[in-house]
Amino acid sequence: MRDKYDVIIVGGGVAGLYAALNFDSNVNVLVAAKRELSLCNSSLAQGGVAAVLDTETDSFECHYKDTMVAGGYENRPEAVKVLVEEGPSDVRKMIELGARFDKSGDQLNMTLEGGHSRRRIVHYKDATGQELMRVLIEAVRQKENIEIVENAFVCFLDETQGGFYATILKDGVFSVVAAPYVILATGGIGRVYKYTTNSKIATGDGVALAYELGAKIKNLHYVQFHPTAFAEPGRERFLISEAVRGEGAVLLNSDKERFMHRYDEREELAPRDVVSKAIILESRRTGNERFYLDITFRNPEYIKKRFPTIYAHCLNEGVDITKQPIPVFPCQHYLMGGIDVDLNARTRVDRLYAVGECSHTGVHGKNRLASNSLLEALVFGRRAAQDIMIRARSDGNLAGSPPVRDYDGAPLPVGTRTTVREIMQRAYFVLPDLDAAERGLVQVSEIENRLKRYKFAITVDYCEAKNLATVAGIILREVVHH
Ligand SMILES: Cc1cc2nc3c(=O)[nH]c(=O)nc-3n(C[C@H](O)[C@H](O)[C@H](O)COP(=O)(O)OP(=O)(O)OC[C@H]3O[C@@H](n4cnc5c(N)ncnc54)[C@H](O)[C@@H]3O)c2cc1C
């Protein structure tokens, strides 16, 4: 690592890497990722990327409308317009870079997911995210202007005249690196919950860093709970993609009866929030939390070819999805709110940008339409890079001295993160529990104050605990005061 770059990107998922790739070769970019590049929410994406690639069978108006309907019309209309109109060219760019989306002959295979009224989701089997990451990692590694540092945890961001200092912890050593521009691309907040589909890295670091710098955080309680995570023990729950319902799978209650018709006329293809709520209400009606997703009526060979990852995972857990219904239950999945940004991904802090899941562009409204988030990561990642390149032409020098910090202190009390997660699971899971949220807010605020006020050793665990408490506090404050 050098002392100074033109741009620091915190995060190397689809949003961070695609932003990096969109800088000209004379812009020096540092991408810091706190773990190996492959460990992120992007790598876990199964279903695909939504985009209007065939204007004979689909239209921007239709994708726009589906997105607004799913978002409960709380979306930012101008951001949705940008997403649907510019998205197709970014998806084509991914194809040019080598993304191998599934095809029949020359035609891309488009699939359907809940809330979409057209088949518009391109995918690579059921491992689309891994494929996008493969292509992006290969592309950025060829760029001499992009330096990637893995296992590099950004602990602090300090504003200085004309830019920022980022304090990075790598292999037990702290480095302070400067840049006139910073893009936060740190992904989701799933680990603030006990059960989530998100990867280990999703501890809301970018949201907490931006919050501390005075950025506006918007709608952080717009958390998406996916209706069909594999019901298994353990924190990280395996997702049974919406595409399985798109291909006709039906939901069954504990008596193995279909029930969605009681809650919504779109039945299994209703948007995620509707299906998740229906499962919780049905569980209250029957007094039983066992639910199943059944695709056994489809041809076994088709199932294995179309959903190889899901088939293999479930088989490993003892469920042959070609013969048995899959046990499922809702869990935390995605963050619609986040660091509020404009159409160029600018936050209200000068020179600070946010892209991908940590940002709030407003495209998702109250509920994300399936497969719109990888698209958002691409479109607004590119827009951030383009905007910085326009501004950077008239840029002055970075001034001020690097921050000086003492990194020593007491160890993080055992169980801090678990306590935060349990509070969140009780207070705000699918249907909020206001009493638990009020009690939880008091507890979380105490934890947050303790972690910020007393002198703890600066470690990854400490920073993540502080960030989780900050994020939980913002969510619960919104829930309580909404
Ligand atoms: C199981 C699952 C399935 C999904 N399926 C789909 C789908 O089919 N279609 C779709 O559109 N979306 C899907 N999503 C959502 C989508 O994958 C994510 O919203 C999107 O990939 C987020 O990309 P990102 O680049 O913003 O974040 P991520 O890909 O999570 O990347 C975050 C990066 O930030 C780094 N980072 C975080 N904190 C720090 C720090 N303090 N210092 C340094 N680095 C840091 C991480 O190491 C990582 O590199 C799915 C999500 C999950 C979990």
Side-chain angles (χ1 to χ4, degrees):
M1 266 186 296
R2 293 190 259 151
D3 292 344
K4 186 173 178 285
Y5 294 83
D6 297 322
V7 183
I8 297 172
I9 301 180
V10 188
V14 164
L17 294 184
Y18 194 64
L21 211 56
N22 273 280
F23 282 101
D24 289 344
S25 55
N26 60 349
V27 181
N28 290 313
V29 181
L30 173 72
V31 178
K34 72 178 179 184
R35 298 287 292 267
E36 55 276 28
L37 282 182
S38 57
L39 192 80
C40 59
N41 279 0
S42 296
S43 295
L44 296 175
Q46 296 176 350
V49 192
V52 177
L53 294 171
D54 180 353
T55 46
E56 279 183 15
T57 56
D58 198 359
S59 66
F60 294 148
E61 291 73 28
C62 187
H63 190 185
Y64 175 89
K65 188 165 171 237
D66 290 345
T67 304
M68 298 294 287
V69 170
Y73 286 90
E74 288 200 27
N75 327 51
R76 238 179 230 161
E78 62 278 19
V80 179
K81 202 162 173 297
V82 165
L83 179 85
V84 301
E85 291 182 4
E86 297 186 7
S89 74
D90 290 302
V91 173
R92 286 195 189 97
K93 175 84 186 163
M94 290 305 302
I95 296 173
E96 264 169 47
L97 287 171
R100 300 165 295 174
F101 295 127
D102 286 5
K103 283 181 170 179
S104 297
D106 283 347
Q107 293 291 315
L108 286 165
N109 281 349
M110 306 277 197
T111 194
L112 195 63
E113 292 187 287
H116 286 276
S117 57
R118 299 280 190 283
R119 286 191 166 260
R120 65 166 71 95
I121 294 146
V122 289
H123 54 94
Y124 171 74
K125 301 188 173 32
D126 57 356
T128 308
Q130 263 181 41
E131 176 64 4
L132 295 186
M133 285 300 288
R134 180 190 69 78
V135 166
L136 288 172
I137 291 171
E138 222 172 273
V140 290
R141 293 225 190 268
Q142 284 169 17
K143 296 272 181 186
E144 282 180 10
N145 64 313
I146 303 173
E147 185 179 336
I148 314 254
V149 253
E150 293 175 273
N151 300 305
F153 189 97
V154 175
C155 316
F156 302 102
L157 268 185
D158 293 279
E159 232 179 328
T160 184
Q161 201 187 322
F164 300 91
Y165 287 107
T167 303
I168 301 179
L169 174 58
K170 179 171 168 55
D171 304 329
V173 178
F174 290 91
S175 314
V176 178
V177 183
Y181 295 94
V182 168
I183 302 178
L184 294 168
T186 52
I189 53 127
R191 293 293 166 140
V192 83
Y193 277 91
K194 204 165 161 190
Y195 303 115
T196 175
T197 58
N198 287 193
S199 79
K200 283 193 180 63
I201 58 91
T203 51
D205 300 354
V207 173
L209 288 168
Y211 180 68
E212 275 155 28
L213 283 172
K216 182 174 172 189
I217 309 297
K218 194 157 180 203
N219 293 339
L220 215 62
H221 73 293
Y222 284 3
V223 175
Q224 184 166 75
F225 299 92
H226 199 289
T228 59
F230 190 78
E232 60 195 324
R235 182 168 301 134
E236 188 173 325
R237 296 222 158 158
F238 182 77
L239 182 76
I240 308 297
S241 163
E242 193 131 5
V244 180
R245 276 179 290 134
E247 298 298 340
V250 293
L251 276 163
L252 305 174
N253 64 16
S254 53
D255 296 325
K256 303 266 173 79
E257 284 168 354
R258 288 186 72 181
F259 61 91
M260 275 306 299
H261 58 276
R262 286 198 192 102
Y263 302 95
D264 195 283
E265 62 186 15
R266 290 162 291 184
E267 303 191 342
E268 276 78 2
L269 288 179
R272 289 174 186 177
D273 57 337
V274 176
V275 182
S276 289
K277 275 183 200 151
I279 293 178
I280 299 298
L281 293 175
E282 181 72 3
S283 74
R284 287 181 188 170
R285 194 184 73 82
T286 60
N288 196 313
E289 290 195 345
R290 278 176 199 273
F291 287 86
Y292 302 91
L293 188 63
D294 189 359
I295 193 163
T296 52
F297 62 90
R298 295 221 51 166
N299 179 300
E301 289 319 306
Y302 172 79
I303 295 174
K304 287 183 206 167
K305 186 157 179 271
R306 176 67 183 84
F307 301 112
T309 315
I310 295 173
Y311 173 73
H313 180 92
C314 294
L315 198 61
N316 204 27
E317 298 293 329
V319 179
D320 180 346
I321 69 170
T322 65
K323 298 195 182 93
Q324 296 162 279
I326 312 164
V328 292
F329 201 68
C331 86
Q332 193 286 341
H333 183 56
Y334 184 76
L335 173 68
M336 273 80 61
I339 309 160
D340 197 40
V341 293
D342 67 12
L343 294 181
N344 289 318
R346 292 186 192 190
T347 71
R348 78 171 171 203
V349 176
D350 192 25
R351 298 160 183 274
L352 182 69
Y353 289 70
V355 297
E357 193 168 338
C358 70
S359 70
H360 171 268
T361 59
V363 297
H364 305 303
K366 214 171 172 169
N367 175 53
R368 168 178 71 111
L369 182 66
S371 287
N372 265 355
S373 47
L374 288 170
L375 191 68
E376 180 196 37
L378 294 171
V379 170
F380 291 91
R382 167 182 50 75
R383 283 190 147 238
Q386 289 170 337
D387 191 60
I388 291 173
M389 285 195 292
I390 293 168
R391 290 175 76 185
R393 284 194 206 120
S394 56
D395 229 18
N397 276 332
L398 200 107
S401 326
V404 179
R405 277 196 176 87
D406 179 4
Y407 301 118
D408 290 332
L412 176 72
V414 176
T416 307
R417 285 167 292 184
T418 308
T419 307
V420 173
R421 285 168 181 144
E422 279 171 357
I423 291 169
M424 288 304 291
Q425 196 70 31
R426 272 196 304 273
Y428 186 45
F429 176 68
V430 185
L431 299 167
D433 176 335
L434 265 185
D435 287 342
E438 277 173 13
R439 282 194 307 276
L441 179 56
V442 174
Q443 287 172 281
V444 159
S445 303
E446 275 168 16
I447 296 172
E448 188 185 345
N449 283 340
R450 203 179 323 131
L451 291 177
K452 287 183 178 167
R453 205 165 314 136
Y454 296 106
K455 210 172 160 325
F456 288 101
I458 308 301
T459 60
V460 170
D461 286 352
Y462 163 77
C463 292
E464 288 189 346
K466 178 168 65 81
N467 296 340
L468 286 178
T470 304
V471 165
I474 302 173
I475 294 176
L476 292 181
R477 239 167 269 132
E478 286 184 9
V479 171
V480 168
H481 300 301
H482 203 58

